[in-house]
Amino acid sequence: MKKNDPSKKGNSTQSSTPAEYADNPGTYLLRWDPAISKMKFERYREITNEYPEGFCMDWSIYDYNDAKEGDLFYMLREGEENGGIIFRGIFSSAPYEDDDWRGSGEKRHYIMIDCFSAVNADERPPLHLSMLEKRIPIINWRKGHSGELLTPAQAEALHSLWFDVYGFDDEYEKIEDNIEFDQEFEEDGDGEFDTEVGHGDHLSCFDEDIESIIRDLESIVDKSIPISVSPEISLVTERPTTAELIYFSTQGKDVAMRTTMISHGESMEILAFVPYAINDKPTKSKLIKIQEYSNGFEAVLTVEYGDTEFSFFDIDYALHKNSYKLGEYYDFALSAMAFEAGCVPDEEMSFTLSHDEAERLHLAGDDNKPVIMSMSELVGCLQTDSRYPDNAAFQSPVMSRARKAACLGREFYRMEICIAHETDECPELTIPLITRVSDFDKKPTMKNSIRGGLWLQGRLIQ
């Protein structure tokens, strides 16, 4: 999954006027249909509530040949209910090619966009569809591609209407100083592994109020005990050095805070601290990739489990980095912390296929009746963003009784989930998942399936 806080999900981006990007900006009409887009209505509501000042994302663009950084755009929400212009903004990159978000196997062009002046998800936009059709009939508001370059006359009419309603001028002086960065709206990211990722987003698995964790840092250190010392490794700091690292951990049965420190004579320096879902159950898998952070002591490992690949953050990487060999099999204990999790609604636990549809899929019986398909055993753990490969979108039945867990005054549920069904080669792979209690209205049971985002973790069991 893409990011939206200090681990790259939440880096603020300085806003600019169009003149700083392009002398003669074009104007584009982007389109969003919540019924078919990967950006669902609920996600739009969450983002606009969380980042009312503005946000960034990537979006598909049809007329990409002349598009450039600094061009202007308006986002049209399609459909009769609350249809209309829901925000506007500026292109903050040149177009680039990537896989079709629909999964067709074809290529599509995308562009990064800075978005502001967003309309509340549940409100009718001031520039609603009927007004647009009446005031600017020279634009076909009902039909068109997302990323349509407007003619100068169309663009001028739309700028003028926006000014009449909002009172903003054409230089976009109302752009906020800080625009939150969120790329989870549309496309799964593609690019190089982010060696500077940090752990801001991962801390939100522990507490959404990340500042409260920072404030508790002294308490975290006081309540931690040393658990291991690394061999000497090379660290990338302002003054590159070779040193031993000391791992500390808060005591806990299910969840702990792991802190990595370095000794400077009589003083200790904190290098990193991360929440950890404790697990000692090994799973044999083949190590196929190591993606090391620039600091030299943290990394994401990718392993093969049967015909499935998983990438996870190695909690103890500095202890073993000098002994790992690609292609070798190791016993790793996998676990996960949830970013967001919730029970799948009952109405989404099954769907009905007509007899004809079921027959095409060879699922129909001889009684000419519709077929009800159950989703109760659906398992998925999708890691699609190469920049942050240890994050995943998941769905799984609850595989064990959920129990309460606590760490540093925070409350969690601990439960088992499945991330890979049994195959001829490998047994079913279940792992412990730690979720915030606040994510649920009531404690989940083994009758539920849950879904959301997770941070996959692991450590070598010797």
Side-chain angles (χ1 to χ4, degrees), residues 188-206:
D188 291 319
D190 190 17
E192 295 182 357
F193 172 67
D194 190 345
T195 61
E196 306 290 342
V197 65
H199 292 295
D201 183 62
H202 295 153
L203 291 177
S204 71
C205 298
F206 189 79

Side-chain angles (χ1 to χ4, degrees), residues 201-411:
D201 183 62
H202 295 153
L203 291 177
S204 71
C205 298
F206 189 79
D207 191 328
E208 287 185 299
D209 182 3
I210 296 175
E211 292 300 322
S212 73
I213 305 176
I214 306 300
R215 291 193 296 270
D216 287 353
L217 189 55
E218 184 175 347
S219 172
I220 291 171
V221 174
D222 289 343
K223 294 179 180 179
S224 298
I225 58 173
I227 56 173
S228 55
V229 179
S230 78
E232 285 197 344
I233 61 172
S234 297
L235 297 179
V236 179
T237 61
E238 291 183 3
R239 293 184 177 181
T241 184
T242 300
E244 294 178 334
L245 304 183
I246 304 174
Y247 283 94
F248 290 78
S249 181
T250 56
Q251 292 180 314
K253 180 180 180 181
D254 296 305
V255 59
M257 187 66 77
R258 297 288 295 270
T259 307
T260 308
M261 306 182 86
I262 186 172
S263 174
H264 296 288
E266 296 182 357
S267 65
M268 301 284 288
E269 177 187 354
I270 297 175
L271 298 181
F273 54 99
V274 296
Y276 169 52
I278 297 172
N279 188 25
D280 296 317
K281 179 183 176 181
T283 298
K284 188 173 291 295
S285 50
K286 181 180 178 181
L287 180 61
I288 62 172
K289 184 188 292 186
I290 299 174
Q291 295 171 285
E292 188 174 281
Y293 291 0
S294 62
N295 57 34
F297 68 90
E298 294 179 304
V300 172
L301 308 188
T302 302
V303 297
E304 284 183 353
Y305 180 76
D307 59 0
T308 304
E309 292 184 8
F310 293 108
S311 297
F312 63 89
F313 177 78
D314 186 349
I315 293 294
D316 294 333
Y317 177 67
L319 301 180
H320 311 293
K321 64 174 288 185
N322 294 329
S323 60
Y324 281 143
K325 294 182 180 179
L326 297 182
E328 295 290 325
Y329 284 84
Y330 296 92
D331 287 326
F332 292 110
L334 302 181
S335 58
M337 300 283 300
F339 295 111
E340 297 175 342
C343 293
V344 181
D346 291 341
E347 61 269 20
E348 296 182 26
M349 290 297 292
S350 64
F351 63 93
T352 301
L353 294 176
S354 69
H355 178 77
D356 289 343
E357 292 171 326
E359 193 170 47
R360 284 195 295 272
L361 297 173
H362 305 288
L363 299 173
D366 298 328
D367 52 10
N368 204 34
K369 293 182 179 180
V371 175
I372 298 176
M373 303 294 293
S374 172
M375 307 287 281
S376 61
E377 299 300 319
L378 177 65
V379 166
C381 183
L382 305 178
Q383 297 179 304
T384 58
D385 194 332
S386 57
R387 293 168 299 176
Y388 319 105
D390 46 346
N391 289 353
F394 81 97
Q395 179 165 325
S396 169
V398 178
M399 306 295 289
S400 70
R401 182 179 63 87
R403 67 169 182 257
K404 282 282 189 74
C407 182
L408 299 171
R410 280 80 170 177
E411 288 192 325

